C-alpha cells in the first residue's frame, strides 16, 4: 500500500477515533445481549446513548467536513478517497435531519417499542396505531429530506440497500412471488410428506453447543478470532475483523434452533472476518449492505448446510454429537424433515419457500404507508388480506398478525426487503461460484475453504468499497436476476418432493 | 435530595458523559481479562487508548474548569460541591504534567513492561535497569510538579492514599515490623505445625466455582448485580453500583486459590455495590482510596472467612461442595492448615503475617529511589539485603527477587503501601465494629448482613466523599493506629500456635 501523507494520516487517525467508539459500542451490545447481569441493564442504555452521541457528533462535525473536502481536493490514494466518500455519505445524510427532530424521533421510537409490547399483550392494535402513524410520518419527512428520484420509499431503501429502488422491487418481487406460489402448491400437492417430529427429541445443551462449535469450525469460522455465546435472539457482533462474536439460542428438544442459527450467524461472521485488512479501522471495514450481509448468512445456512451433499457426508458425524434417537432416523428421513414447507402466520417461523412471501407483503405495506396509499389505522385489515393473498392463511389476532414484528416500532422502514434481496444475491452468487468451484465435490470432502475463498475473493474482501449491485455485477457479470433463486429452489424442492 | 438548578444539571450531565467513558472502559477491561478471543487483543489497546484519551481530555478541558469555578461560586448543594472538588483535584493534577511528557512516559512504561518480562525470563536485571532508572526519574519529576511539603515521595503517596505521608509510614511501619517479626518467630518456635498438604487434593473446577458462588452469596454479594468469571489474575470490575463483576482463578488441586481470591474480590465488590446511590454517575461513586478498598477485600478474606467461628459454622457445608478427601480432615486440622506461616520469597505467595514485610521493604526502596538515596543499578543487592533483614530468606535469582513484581515497570510508585494500610484500616475498623455488632454471634448464625451493614454505614456509602483518614477517624474515633492489627494477629496466631 502507498505511503500516506501526513494529512492523510491525520484523517485516518480521526477515523480510528470513530472506530474506537464503534468497537466499544459493539462490545457493549454483545455484553448486553449475552453477559450483562440484570442490575447492569438500566444504566447501560445511558452509556450507549452518550457514546453513540459522541460518535455521531464526530461523524457530522465541521472537522469531518474539512477532512472530506481536503481529501477530495488533495489525495490520490484510493483507500483515502473511498473512505472520504463513505464519510461524506454519512455526513450528508445525518446533516439533513436537524438534531432536535432526530432526538424527538428516537424518543418516539423508544416509547413506541414499549407501547408495541403492550398492544401485543392486549391484542389491541389501536394502542399502537397513533405511534405507528407518527413514525410513518417521520419516515415520510426523512425521505423527503434525504431526497429521491421516483418514489419516496426509494430514499429509505437506499439507506439499507444502495441502488435498490421501488422500480427494481416492483419488477423482481412479482416474478418471485409467482414462482414461489407455484412451488408451494406443488409441495402441498406432493404425496411426499416431511415428518418434523423426527427431529424433535431432548438434545442436551452442552452437546448442541459442541455441535454448533464443530460446525462453525468446519465452515471456517475462526474461533480464535471470535466466540459463541447464548442469547435470546441469535446475533453476530463484529467488533473488528479479528473479534467477531456469535450468539445462538438453545431449544432443548429441537436442535435446529441452535445449529442453523449458529450457522446463519457464522455466515455473517465469515463476511466480517474476511474483509480486507487494509480497510481495518475505517468505515469501509463493514459489509456492502444489509442485503449482502444477509446473502452470506443465508448462503451457509440454506445453500451449504441444508444441502443433501452436506448431510450425506456429515450425518454420521452429526450423530456422534446427537442423542441415540437419531440412530433410528435415516439420512433421507432427516433431510426431508429439514425441508418441511408450511405456510405459517409468523415470519420468523417460516421456511425458505414461504419466508419471502412474508417479506414481500411487508414491502407492499411499507411502500403504501410511505407514499400515503395506506393509513396505519387500516393495517390490521390490509395485513389479513395480504396474508390470505400471499399465503392462504389468516391470523386470528393481531399479535400473530400485524403486531408480530418489532421493526416498525423501532422505526426500521426499508429494512425488510434486504432479507429477500440477500436470498436473491446468494442464489445468483452461488450460480456463478459453481462454475468456478466444484461445489458438489467440495461437499464430498468437507472442503469449505474453496467455497469460502471464492466468497472472500468476490465479496468479503471489498468491505464497503463496492455497493451491493456493483459487487453482484462484478462477481456474476450480470444485474440482479431472480431467476437463479427460483431455479435453485425448483430443482431442490422438486427433487425432495418429486415434482 | 435537593432539586438541582439548571446549571447544576448541566454539570451533572457533563459528569455523566465522563462516567459513560468510565463504564465502557471498565467493561472493556473486564472483557479483556475474562472473555476476549485471542484475535481481539491487538486492537483493544488502541480502542482503550483512544477512549481513555477522550476521558482525560474532558477531565482537563476548559469546559471542566469553567464548570468547577461556576459550581464553587454559585452552588450550595453539597453533592455538587463535593463533585466539583473531586473534579478540581483531577483537573489540577493532570494539568500539572504536560501532555507530551505524559505520552512519553506512557510509551516508556509500555516498553518497560515488555523489557521487564524479558529481563525476568533471562534473569538479567541489567536489561531492565535503564528503564527502571528512567521511570524513577519521571516519578521524581512528577512528584516535583505535583508538589509536597516534606518528602518528595509524599506526592506519590498522596495520589494513592490522600493524607498518608512518609512521616506517617515511618512511624507506623517500624512498629508493625517489630511486632510481626516477634510473631513470626513465635510461630516458627511453636511445636504446633500446620500441614498444608491436607488442603491439596483434586477439586473439580465446577465444584470450586459452585463453592465460590455460594460463599459470595453468603457474605451478601448481590449476584444479580454482578457475575463471577475466570481470569489469570483475580480482579473486580466495578462498571457501576449495579454491575460489579468478579473474577477468580482455579487451581485444580488447591481450592484456596479460587475461594479466597473470590472472597477477596467479593470484599472489593461489596464496597462498590453499596456506595450511596445519590453518588451514581459522578466521580464520587468510587472507593475513598486504594487502601480503603483493600481494607474491605482483606476484611472479608482475613477477618471473616478465615475466622475459626466461620469454619466452625460452615465446615460441614463446605464439605458438601468438596471432594471426599475432606471427610478425613478434621475442622481443627483444616483451620490450622489455612494458617500456615512461612517466609516466602514471593510477595503474592505470602501469608498474613509475612505479607506486610514484603510491602515494607518495597516502601523502603521506593522512598530511596524517589529521594535519590538509592540507584536502580544497586537494587538487586539492596533487595537481597532487605529480604535477609525482613524475612531471613534470600532469593537465588532476580526473577524471585527484585524482578518479581510488574508494578515498577508499569510506573506504579506509591501504590504498594496501600496494601498494608488497607490491612491496618481493616483491623482498626474491625475493632470498633465488634463493639457495635456481636461479631462472634453473627458468625454462629451466618448473619453477615449485620457485619456488612456496619461497613456500608461507616465506609461504603460515602464513596469518595470522605478521604481515607477522615473516614477512619469518623468510624473509629481515632487516627490510624497499628496496634489493632498487631493485637488481632497476636491473639489469633497465639491461639492457633499456642503462645
Amino acid at each position: 500500500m502507498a505511503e500516506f501523507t501526513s494529512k492523510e494520516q491525520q484523517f485516518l487517525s480521526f477515523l480510528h477515533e470513530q472506530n474506537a467508539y464503534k468497537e466499544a459500542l459493539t462490545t457493549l451490545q454483545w455484553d448486553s445481549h449475552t453477559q450483562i447481569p440484570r442490575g447492569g441493564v438500566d444504566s447501560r442504555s445511558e452509556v450507549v446513548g452518550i457514546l453513540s452521541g459522541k460518535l455521531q457528533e464526530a461523524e457530522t462535525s465541521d472537522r469531518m467536513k474539512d477532512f472530506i473536502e481536503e481529501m477530495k481536493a488533495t489525495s490520490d490514494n484510493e483507500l483515502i478517497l473511498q473512505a472520504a466518500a463513505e464519510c461524506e455519505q454519512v455526513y450528508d445524510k445525518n446533516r439533513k435531519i436537524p438534531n432536535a427532530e432526530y432526538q424527538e424521533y428516537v424518543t418516539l421510537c423508544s416509547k413506541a417499542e414499549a407501547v408495541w409490547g403492550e398492544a401485543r399483550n392486549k391484542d389491541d392494535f389501536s394502542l399502537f396505531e397513533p405511534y405507528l402513524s407518527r413514525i410513518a410520518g417521520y419516515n415520510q419527512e426523512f425521505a423527503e429530506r434525504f431526497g429521491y428520484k421516483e418514489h419516496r420509499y426509494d430514499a429509505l431503501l437506499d439507506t439499507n440497500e444502495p441502488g435498490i429502488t421501488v422500480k427494481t422491487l416492483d419488477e423482481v418481487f412479482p416474478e418471485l412471488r409467482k414462482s414461489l406460489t407455484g412451488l408451494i402448491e406443488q409441495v402441498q400437492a406432493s404425496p411426499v410428506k416431511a415428518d418434523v417430529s423426527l427431529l424433535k427429541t431432548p438434545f442436551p445443551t452442552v452437546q448442541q453447543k459442541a455441535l454448533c462449535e464443530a460446525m462453525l469450525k468446519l465452515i471456517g469460522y475462526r474461533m480464535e478470532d471470535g466466540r459463541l455465546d447464548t442469547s435470546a435472539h441469535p446475533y453476530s457482533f463484529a467488533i473488528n475483523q479479528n473479534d467477531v462474536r456469535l450468539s445462538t439460542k438453545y431449544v432443548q428438544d429441537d436442535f435446529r434452533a441452535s445449529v442453523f442459527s449458529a450457522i446463519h450467524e457464522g455466515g455473517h461472521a465469515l463476511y466480517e472476518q474476511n474483509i480486507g485488512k487494509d480497510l481495518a479501522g475505517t468505515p469501509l471495514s463493514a459489509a456492502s449492505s444489509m442485503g449482502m450481509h444477509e446473502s452470506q448468512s443465508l448462503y451457509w445456512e440454506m445453500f451449504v448446510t441444508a444441502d443433501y451433499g452436506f448431510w450425506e457426508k456429515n450425518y454420521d458425524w452429526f450423530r456422534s454429537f446427537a442423542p441415540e434417537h437419531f440412530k433410528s432416523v435415516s439420512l433421507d428421513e432427516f433431510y426431508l424433515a429439514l425441508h418441511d414447507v408450511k405456510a405459517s402466520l409468523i415470519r420468523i417461523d417460516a421456511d425458505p419457500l414461504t419466508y419471502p412471501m412474508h417479506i414481500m407483503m411487508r414491502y407492499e405495506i411499507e411502500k403504501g404507508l410511505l407514499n400515503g396509499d395506506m393509513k396505519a389505522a387500516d393495517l390490521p385489515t390490509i395485513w389479513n388480506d395480504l396474508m390470505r393473498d400471499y399465503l392462504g392463511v389468516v391470523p386470528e389476532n393481531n399479535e400473530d398478525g400485524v403486531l408480530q414484528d418489532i421493526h416498525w416500532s423501532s422505526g426500521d422502514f426499508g429494512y425488510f426487503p434486504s432479507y429477500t434481496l440477500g436470498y436473491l444475491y446468494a442464489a445468483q452468487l452461488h450460480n456463478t461460484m459453481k462454475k468456478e468451484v466444484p461445489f458438489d465435490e467440495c461437499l464430498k470432502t468437507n472442503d469449505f475453504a474453496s467455497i469460502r475463498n471464492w466468497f472472500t475473493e468476490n465479496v468479503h474482501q471489498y468491505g464497503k468499497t463496492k455497493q451491493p449491485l456493483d459487487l453482484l455485477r462484478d462477481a456474476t457479470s450480470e444485474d440482479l436476476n431472480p431467476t437463479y433463486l427460483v431455479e435453485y429452489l425448483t430443482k431442490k424442492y422438486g427433487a425432495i418432493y418429486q415434482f
Side-chain angles (χ1 to χ4, degrees), chain A:
Chain A
M1 181 182 301
E3 282 287 307
F4 293 112
T5 66
S6 113
K7 198 71 199 180
E8 286 167 349
Q9 263 161 354
Q10 285 170 38
F11 176 52
L12 285 174
S13 297
F14 186 55
L15 296 184
H16 275 241
E17 283 184 19
Q18 288 151 57
N19 180 62
Y21 285 105
K22 288 181 194 167
E23 292 202 17
L25 284 163
T26 308
T27 310
L28 291 174
Q29 188 196 22
W30 164 80
D31 184 67
S32 292
H33 277 76
T34 64
Q35 312 286 347
I36 200 169
R38 202 166 62 229
V41 173
D42 276 350
S43 87
R44 178 57 57 83
S45 57
E46 189 191 25
V47 170
V48 167
I50 289 170
L51 296 182
S52 306
K54 294 284 173 192
L55 171 59
Q56 217 193 332
E57 230 174 85
E59 287 174 339
T60 56
S61 62
D62 294 340
R63 193 159 170 231
M64 177 56 100
K65 185 70 181 165
D66 292 344
F67 267 126
I68 293 167
E69 295 307 329
E70 181 156 11
M71 291 303 117
K72 281 164 67 181
T74 65
S75 178
D76 55 7
N77 179 295
E78 176 124 10
L79 171 69
I80 294 288
L81 291 170
Q82 285 177 317
E86 173 62 25
C87 290
E88 189 167 26
Q89 272 220 334
V90 173
Y91 178 91
D92 285 344
K93 200 145 227 169
N94 281 328
R95 296 281 282 214
K96 279 177 181 161
I97 316 267
N99 230 322
E101 189 176 332
Y102 188 71
Q103 284 309 318
E104 280 166 30
Y105 178 65
V106 169
T107 309
L108 173 66
C109 291
S110 147
K111 278 188 206 150
E113 279 187 35
V115 172
W116 166 77
E118 200 192 337
R120 261 177 73 108
N121 288 340
K122 298 186 176 163
D123 191 30
D124 183 355
F125 181 76
S126 72
L127 294 175
F128 183 51
E129 188 252 307
Y131 287 87
L132 180 54
S133 181
R134 286 184 62 202
I135 289 173
Y138 270 104
N139 274 280
Q140 288 177 329
E141 166 79 16
F142 295 162
E144 289 299 324
R145 288 184 186 271
F146 292 151
Y148 52 86
K149 283 190 190 144
E150 290 188 59
H151 295 270
R152 199 187 271 153
Y153 188 51
D154 289 348
L156 303 184
L157 285 173
D158 196 67
T159 302
N160 294 289
E161 214 57 33
I164 292 290
T165 60
V166 166
K167 185 158 175 273
T168 324
L169 297 184
D170 281 350
E171 278 166 27
V172 167
F173 279 0
E175 189 182 334
L176 179 63
R177 179 184 173 184
K178 198 177 146 210
S179 305
L180 289 178
T181 303
L183 283 175
I184 293 166
E185 283 168 4
Q186 284 179 285
V187 168
Q188 282 166 345
S190 168
V192 180
K193 299 290 172 205
D195 179 2
V196 290
S197 76
L198 291 175
L199 305 176
K200 293 187 179 176
T201 187
F203 198 139
T205 301
V206 60
Q207 285 165 243
Q208 288 193 46
K209 185 166 193 221
L211 175 59
C212 288
E213 289 189 342
M215 283 184 68
L216 286 167
K217 279 181 200 163
L218 199 61
I219 67 170
Y221 171 71
R222 300 193 308 269
M223 201 59 88
E224 72 278 15
D225 292 340
R227 41 182 291 144
L228 175 65
D229 294 290
T230 308
S231 66
H233 302 283
Y235 217 88
S236 61
F237 308 89
I239 297 171
N240 57 57
Q241 295 164 19
N242 300 312
D243 189 354
V244 185
R245 305 180 188 191
L246 307 178
S247 67
T248 192
K249 66 171 174 192
Y250 296 92
V251 176
Q252 177 68 11
D253 66 352
D254 193 345
F255 76 93
R256 293 176 300 174
S258 65
V259 167
F260 290 103
S261 295
I263 293 297
H264 183 95
E265 301 309 328
H268 282 304
L270 288 181
Y271 196 159
E272 298 277 355
Q273 284 189 335
N274 293 303
I275 290 174
K277 298 224 170 299
D278 52 327
L279 307 179
T282 78
L284 301 168
S285 184
S288 172
S289 71
M290 262 299 307
M292 198 52 79
H293 223 316
E294 197 68 10
S295 80
Q296 298 308 291
S297 53
L298 289 174
Y299 187 72
W300 292 91
E301 181 192 357
M302 306 285 195
F303 292 74
V304 179
T305 62
D307 190 279
Y308 188 76
F310 180 86
W311 289 108
E312 199 172 20
K313 168 74 181 163
N314 293 306
Y315 189 50
D316 278 343
W317 175 76
F318 163 82
R319 281 165 157 161
S320 73
F321 293 88
E324 284 283 305
H325 163 83
F326 287 96
K327 288 210 172 134
S328 62
V329 181
S330 73
L331 168 63
D332 286 353
E333 288 169 330
F334 177 82
Y335 182 70
L336 175 59
L338 287 183
H339 289 86
D340 186 36
V341 176
K342 194 174 162 194
S344 72
L345 296 172
I346 308 294
R347 174 181 61 87
I348 58 171
D349 295 340
D351 56 76
L353 290 193
T354 56
Y355 193 95
M357 302 300 224
H358 291 269
I359 295 304
M360 290 185 280
M361 58 165 281
R362 283 161 178 75
Y363 163 69
E364 297 291 341
I365 292 174
E366 292 194 349
K367 193 172 60 168
L369 282 174
L370 262 285
N371 66 21
D373 288 348
M374 294 182 193
K375 287 204 168 52
D378 302 325
L379 284 201
T381 312
I382 293 173
W383 183 280
N384 291 358
D385 291 346
L386 284 169
M387 280 298 285
R388 191 179 300 108
D389 289 355
Y390 273 82
L391 286 163
V393 290
V394 180
E396 289 182 7
N397 56 51
N398 291 321
E399 187 189 340
D400 291 340
V402 66
L403 288 173
Q404 72 182 260
D405 295 313
I406 197 173
H407 298 58
W408 293 334
S409 73
S410 317
D412 282 332
F413 278 81
Y415 184 102
F416 278 124
S418 293
Y419 290 111
T420 289
L421 286 165
Y423 207 9
L424 296 171
Y425 298 161
Q428 186 166 335
L429 290 164
H430 180 64
N431 179 67
T432 302
M433 189 273 295
K434 282 186 76 169
K435 294 177 191 155
E436 297 170 22
V437 175
F439 180 78
D440 294 328
E441 290 306 308
C442 288
L443 292 198
K444 283 192 180 133
T445 57
N446 276 345
D447 169 19
F448 301 106
S450 298
I451 299 167
R452 193 177 63 248
N453 289 341
W454 187 90
F455 280 98
T456 294
E457 203 174 306
N458 288 279
V459 180
H460 307 159
Q461 66 159 325
Y462 294 109
K464 223 171 171 154
T465 61
K466 289 189 185 185
Q467 294 209 342
L469 296 181
D470 296 331
L471 201 56
L472 191 69
R473 200 177 304 106
D474 290 350
T476 67
S477 311
E478 200 178 346
D479 286 328
L480 177 62
N481 184 345
T483 317
Y484 298 112
L485 180 61
V486 172
E487 280 179 6
Y488 176 83
L489 291 173
T490 305
K491 195 171 159 208
K492 179 171 190 174
Y493 281 85
I496 296 173
Y497 285 94
Q498 302 172 5
F499 54 79

XYZ file of all heavy atoms in Angstrom, chain A residues 212-223 448 452:
118
model
N -22.609 -27.064 17.486
C -22.549 -25.726 16.867
C -21.100 -25.316 16.640
O -20.734 -24.838 15.559
C -23.221 -24.681 17.769
S -25.010 -24.820 17.837
N -20.267 -25.491 17.661
C -18.863 -25.084 17.533
C -18.152 -25.904 16.459
O -17.377 -25.370 15.667
C -18.148 -25.209 18.883
C -18.618 -24.147 19.860
C -17.793 -24.087 21.136
O -17.082 -25.063 21.434
O -17.870 -23.060 21.836
N -18.434 -27.201 16.451
C -17.782 -28.065 15.461
C -18.203 -27.666 14.050
O -17.374 -27.609 13.125
C -18.128 -29.519 15.740
N -19.491 -27.346 13.875
C -19.956 -26.962 12.539
C -19.386 -25.605 12.131
O -19.043 -25.392 10.957
C -21.480 -26.969 12.474
C -22.004 -28.405 12.365
S -23.814 -28.527 12.179
C -24.071 -27.824 10.557
N -19.281 -24.703 13.074
C -18.693 -23.393 12.768
C -17.234 -23.545 12.344
O -16.779 -22.912 11.387
C -18.804 -22.464 13.977
C -20.213 -21.919 14.237
C -20.301 -21.281 15.625
C -20.605 -20.911 13.160
N -16.507 -24.398 13.069
C -15.103 -24.625 12.689
C -15.032 -25.255 11.307
O -14.170 -24.920 10.501
C -14.425 -25.534 13.719
C -13.979 -24.784 14.960
C -13.289 -25.724 15.951
C -13.304 -25.099 17.338
N -13.038 -26.075 18.399
N -15.944 -26.174 11.055
C -15.973 -26.872 9.772
C -16.100 -25.884 8.608
O -15.404 -26.003 7.604
C -17.172 -27.825 9.777
C -17.207 -28.972 8.779
C -16.025 -29.906 8.985
C -18.520 -29.759 8.932
N -16.983 -24.889 8.748
C -17.176 -23.962 7.623
C -16.100 -22.879 7.594
O -16.048 -22.078 6.665
C -18.590 -23.325 7.611
C -18.813 -22.396 8.808
C -19.662 -24.400 7.525
C -20.090 -21.555 8.711
N -15.231 -22.864 8.609
C -14.076 -21.975 8.541
C -14.187 -20.718 9.385
O -13.407 -19.772 9.218
N -15.156 -20.697 10.300
C -15.207 -19.584 11.269
C -14.005 -19.723 12.175
O -13.751 -20.794 12.729
C -16.518 -19.683 12.058
C -16.621 -18.744 13.241
C -16.780 -17.382 13.065
C -16.567 -19.236 14.542
C -16.889 -16.519 14.155
C -16.674 -18.391 15.639
C -16.836 -17.034 15.435
O -16.942 -16.199 16.519
N -13.245 -18.671 12.301
C -12.030 -18.722 13.114
C -12.400 -18.490 14.580
O -12.607 -17.351 14.997
C -11.015 -17.680 12.647
C -10.563 -17.856 11.199
C -9.325 -17.007 10.853
N -9.480 -15.610 11.192
C -9.968 -14.672 10.366
N -10.338 -14.993 9.143
N -10.062 -13.418 10.771
N -12.450 -19.577 15.323
C -12.894 -19.493 16.716
C -11.939 -18.639 17.564
O -12.369 -18.011 18.521
C -13.016 -20.910 17.279
C -13.891 -21.054 18.490
S -15.626 -20.519 18.263
C -16.401 -22.020 17.667
N -14.621 -26.757 2.607
C -15.367 -25.492 2.614
C -14.463 -24.312 2.332
O -14.926 -23.224 2.041
C -16.118 -25.329 3.931
C -17.079 -26.453 4.157
C -16.822 -27.443 5.084
C -18.227 -26.554 3.375
C -17.691 -28.506 5.257
C -19.109 -27.612 3.530
C -18.835 -28.591 4.481
N -15.509 -20.912 0.573
C -15.354 -19.675 1.359
C -14.401 -18.706 0.651
O -14.654 -17.508 0.579
C -14.821 -20.034 2.745
C -14.909 -18.929 3.758
C -14.407 -19.426 5.110
N -13.012 -19.800 5.076
C -12.547 -21.041 5.195
N -13.357 -22.067 5.372
N -11.247 -21.291 5.136
